[in-house]
Amino acid sequence: MGGFRFDTSYARLPESLFTRLPPEPVRAPRLVVLNEALASDLGLDRPALTADIFSGNRLPEGATPLAQAYAGHQFGHFARLGDGRAVLLGEHLTPDGRRVDIQLKGSGRTPYSRSGDGRAALGPMLREYLVSEAMHALGIPTTRSLAVVATGETVLRDRPLPGAILVRVAASHIRVGTFQHAAAEGDRPALQALLAHALARHAPEAADTARPALALLMATMEKQARLVAQWMGVGFIHGVMNTDNMTISGETIDYGPCAFMDAFDPGAVFSSIDRGGRYAFMNQPVIAHWNLVRLAEALLPLIDSEEDKAIVLANEAIQRFPALFEDAWLHVFRAKLGLSAAEAGDKDLVEMFLKAMADTGADYTNSFRALAEGQPMPVDPRDEAAFGPFLAAWAARLEREGATADRVRPRLLAANPAIIPRNHLVEQALGRAEGGDLQPFRDLVAAVTRPFAPRLEDARFRLPPRPEERVQATFCGT
Ligand code: AMP
Ligand code: MG
C-alpha cells in the first residue's frame, strides 16, 4: 500500500493530442464518498486519498496533469471536443501490474471547454459513481469511480447546484473520437503514435501483426460487440453513444442520461436530448457498428498506404461486426437461460421470451431473475398465455442437453441479477444527497454492488417503480 505511482505514457505522445494544465483549485473540498475497495485494489492508502488531492488542490508527486484532445460524432454530427472539464492526473501503476488512468472530472476549464464552465454538479457525479460501480459488480467492463468530492462551490445549471469532482479510474480514456481527432488534424505521426500507444495498452498481441491498425480495429470491434451485448443482457441503455463516448479499451464510459429498463420495451429511450431515438435500447448494436465505421475511417491511412486497398481491407473487417455482435449476444443470453451448448434455434428461443415481455410490459430484470429463482413464471399470472409457449420451449430445450431449470439454477442465479440501479431509486437517492442526506445513496450503492446475492432487506430495491414513481427522462445534467 502507498501513494500514486505515476508513469504517464500519454504525456509522451505528440503535443497535438493534449494540453498540459493543472486542475483549477476549488474553494472548500470535502470528501463525499470514497471507494475503499477500489482504493485497496489500486494499492492506495490514506495519505493518497484526501479531498485535497481528489479536488486537484494538491497534486500528488509525479502527476502530469493534462487535458486530452478528441473529436466525436455527437448524434451523428462531427465536432472537435476534448476534455472540457477533466484532467488526467496520470497513469498509475497498480501493485498487480496494471496501468490505469486517474482522471478528475469537473476539474475546471481547459482549452477544450468551449462555452462550458469546466465544472460538474454533485448529482450527476454521484450518479456516475453509483451506476459505474453497479456496472462493475454486474461483471460488465466499465470505468470505475474512486471518489466524489464536493467543491464547496456552486455551479449554475437550470438552477444553482452544489459542485463536485469525480475521480475516475479507467484502463484508458482513449476514445474512437481520439483517433478521429488525430485523423482530422492530418497529423500522421500523431496518428501513428496514438496507434502504438493504444496497441500497447489494449491489444499488445496485435502490435506484431502484419497490419496493426487493422488488428486494433478488429480487437475494438470484438470488445464493443461483447460490451453492448452485456449491456443488453441487463437492460442498460447508454443514452449518448457518441463516438467520443466509446472507448478503445471496451469499457463503458460517460454515464450521463443512461438508464436500466424496468418494463421491457425494445424502443426505450430515456435521454431527454435523444428525440429521434437514435440511442434507443435495440438500436445500440447498430450505433456501435456505425461508430466503429468512424474508427475504421480514422485508421485508414495506417491500414495501407494505398487508400483503395485500405478501404477494401477496412470494409472486410467492419462487415463482420453484425456477426460478432450476434455471437456475443447469444453468448450472453444463452447464459441467462442456463444453456451450455449452442443450438440453431437459440436466437428464436430468446426472442420468444423477449417478445412475451414486450407484449406484457413485464419487468426485464425480475422476469429473468424469476427464471433463476424458480418462482412461478410469469411474474404476473395474468400473463400466462403470453409466456406459456416460451416456458414449454425452454424446458424442452434444457431437456435436450440433459438439464432442467433446477439443475442449472446456480448458473442462472449467477447470470441474472436481482438488483439493478433502478432509475426511480437513483433519482430519489440523488435528490436526498443534494439535500445533504447521503444515507439513501450509500444504501443504494451497497445494494447495487451485490446484484447477484440479494439479502432479505434488499427487497425494496427489487421492486419496479409504481406508476407515480416512474422516471420518464434522464438528463445529461452537465
Ligand atoms: P459529455 O456529454 O459528458 O460526453 O461531454 C461532451 C463534451 O462536452 C466533452 O468534450 C466534455 O468535456 C464537454 N463538457 C461537458 N460539460 C462541460 C462543462 N460543464 N464545461 C466544459 N466542457 C464540458
Ligand atoms: Mg463524453
Side-chain angles (χ1 to χ4, degrees):
M1 294 296 270
F4 288 103
R5 278 176 61 213
F6 285 126
D7 170 52
T8 307
S9 57
Y10 202 89
R12 301 192 280 269
L13 289 173
E15 300 262 325
S16 63
L17 296 175
F18 62 92
T19 302
R20 290 179 200 277
L21 88 170
E24 272 185 90
V26 303
R27 200 173 57 199
R30 183 175 54 80
L31 201 52
V32 176
V33 43
L34 171 67
N35 191 336
E36 312 240 5
L38 178 58
S40 147
D41 281 351
L42 296 174
L44 301 173
D45 61 16
R46 280 292 163 187
L49 308 174
T50 67
D52 257 3
I53 288 178
F54 290 155
S55 63
N57 278 9
R58 194 165 78 73
L59 284 179
E61 203 184 303
T64 47
L66 60 89
Q68 294 179 330
Y70 52 86
H73 277 86
Q74 300 181 303
F75 293 90
H77 303 285
F78 185 75
R80 302 304 289 270
L81 306 163
D83 289 329
R85 53 164 173 171
V87 290
L88 177 70
L89 272 191
E91 292 157 25
H92 167 67
L93 304 178
T94 68
D96 58 354
R98 287 174 303 132
R99 172 184 294 273
V100 295
D101 278 11
I102 307 289
Q103 194 206 56
L104 305 182
K105 179 171 176 179
S107 58
R109 288 183 50 81
T110 77
Y112 314 110
S113 295
R114 295 170 292 166
S115 58
D117 61 2
R119 293 301 186 190
L122 179 64
M125 294 306 99
L126 289 177
R127 182 186 179 82
E128 173 157 344
Y129 183 103
L130 184 110
V131 184
S132 64
E133 288 308 302
M135 207 61 137
H136 174 73
L138 287 164
I140 302 179
T142 176
T143 63
R144 304 287 306 275
S145 297
L146 180 58
V148 174
V149 290
T151 58
E153 296 175 4
T154 298
V155 295
L156 210 55
R157 296 296 180 258
D158 52 331
R159 62 202 159 98
L161 294 169
I165 292 171
L166 172 79
V167 186
R168 181 154 75 181
V169 180
S172 89
H173 284 82
I174 307 167
R175 306 145 192 267
V176 168
T178 317
F179 281 95
Q180 289 181 288
H181 165 79
E185 290 277 290
D187 183 346
R188 179 66 183 273
L191 190 59
Q192 186 80 56
L194 180 63
L195 171 65
H197 176 88
L199 285 166
R201 294 185 75 173
H202 303 307
E205 70 292 346
D208 291 330
T209 56
R211 296 184 189 277
L214 202 59
L216 182 75
L217 175 64
M218 279 303 299
T220 310
M221 283 167 55
E222 281 165 17
K223 285 176 190 159
Q224 288 295 336
R226 280 199 297 269
L227 179 65
V228 175
Q230 283 189 282
W231 288 353
M232 293 177 80
V234 294
F236 179 73
I237 304 167
H238 183 284
V240 260
M241 285 178 71
N242 297 332
T243 56
D244 52 301
N245 292 335
M246 185 182 265
T247 58
I248 301 301
S249 67
E251 289 181 344
T252 311
I253 194 170
D254 270 7
Y255 294 87
C258 60
F260 286 77
M261 269 186 302
D262 297 298
F264 180 51
D265 168 11
V269 176
F270 284 94
S271 167
S272 59
I273 52 175
D274 189 4
R275 296 210 175 78
R278 181 180 171 88
Y279 300 143
F281 180 73
M282 280 309 232
N283 219 24
Q284 295 183 115
V286 174
I287 292 294
H289 190 185
W290 192 92
N291 288 351
L292 290 160
V293 176
R294 307 284 85 75
L295 177 63
E297 285 167 357
L299 288 170
L300 275 183
L302 305 181
I303 291 177
D304 198 281
S305 54
E306 271 178 58
E307 197 183 16
D308 289 352
K309 181 145 192 214
I311 290 174
V312 169
L313 290 169
N315 260 324
E316 266 172 29
I318 209 77
Q319 276 168 15
R320 292 165 65 181
F321 186 78
L324 281 177
F325 177 75
E326 185 164 305
D327 280 354
W329 186 88
L330 278 169
H331 182 82
V332 166
F333 283 89
R334 279 198 184 105
K336 287 179 80 67
L337 295 184
L339 306 175
S340 314
E343 255 189 35
D346 288 347
K347 189 178 177 196
D348 294 337
L349 181 69
V350 175
E351 280 174 350
M352 248 173 125
F353 190 43
L354 294 179
K355 183 165 187 317
M357 280 194 272
D359 287 349
T360 57
D363 186 85
Y364 197 72
T365 303
N366 289 352
S367 296
F368 276 108
R369 186 70 183 186
L371 296 179
E373 292 186 345
Q375 285 163 1
M377 184 71 202
V379 175
D380 184 338
R382 285 168 300 183
D383 297 332
E384 226 163 84
F387 286 87
F390 162 75
L391 291 170
W394 182 47
R397 172 69 182 78
L398 282 168
E399 205 181 302
R400 282 200 295 280
E401 52 182 59
T404 64
D406 268 335
R407 256 186 280 152
V408 296
R409 183 133 299 134
R411 289 221 311 276
L412 289 170
L413 289 170
N416 294 292
I419 303 176
I420 48 148
R422 291 185 184 269
N423 229 346
H424 66 295
L425 298 177
V426 175
E427 295 300 320
Q428 284 167 18
L430 298 186
R432 295 276 290 275
E434 251 167 37
D437 176 10
L438 276 157
Q439 203 49 51
F441 174 81
R442 293 187 197 289
D443 293 344
L444 190 55
V445 169
V448 300
T449 51
R450 43 166 197 269
F452 297 103
R455 302 172 312 181
L456 229 47
E457 61 267 38
D458 289 334
R460 67 195 165 101
F461 299 110
R462 304 181 58 175
L463 297 175
R466 293 189 299 271
E468 70 276 14
E469 287 178 322
R470 228 169 266 153
V471 177
Q472 305 295 348
T474 55
F475 299 90
C476 266
T478 51

